[in-house]
Amino acid sequence: IKKMARLIIRPKDVEVILQVSSSYARRLVRQIKKKNNKEKRQKITVKEFCRSEGLEVCDVIAELNEFYGKK
């Protein structure tokens, strides 16, 4: 069965992808929300994260699938 592509990215995902601390990941998510004119309660998408960090969506999805597939 093929894994579904993720739409939303959480600070834990940012930690995994960028290999940063949880506090840095939360701060980065807040910065991306601010840059995209989102409210505190709103989520950021994988595309918004990738655009902000200059990463390829397919690479990020693959990394997340690999990480969460191991658990």
Side-chain angles (χ1 to χ4, degrees):
I1 298 173
K2 186 179 176 187
K3 289 193 180 246
M4 279 183 46
R6 303 218 4 216
L7 180 62
I8 301 301
I9 196 158
R10 300 180 313 255
K12 177 64 181 173
D13 303 329
V14 174
E15 278 183 64
V16 169
I17 295 161
L18 299 180
Q19 297 179 345
V20 295
S21 68
S22 59
S23 60
Y24 181 81
R26 287 191 307 270
R27 192 171 341 137
L28 185 58
V29 167
R30 281 195 305 269
Q31 290 171 351
I32 294 170
K33 283 182 184 183
K34 188 174 182 179
K35 193 160 110 176
N36 287 288
N37 298 316
K38 291 198 171 207
E39 294 178 18
K40 194 175 188 178
R41 64 173 179 78
Q42 291 179 299
K43 310 293 184 208
I44 63 169
T45 65
V46 173
K47 283 184 181 181
E48 289 168 336
F49 170 74
C50 290
R51 198 172 345 165
S52 175
E53 293 302 299
L55 300 170
E56 295 291 328
V57 173
C58 57
D59 294 339
V60 169
I61 298 286
E63 184 70 29
L64 289 174
N65 284 339
E66 183 180 328
F67 178 78
Y68 288 110
K70 289 180 182 175
K71 289 190 171 182

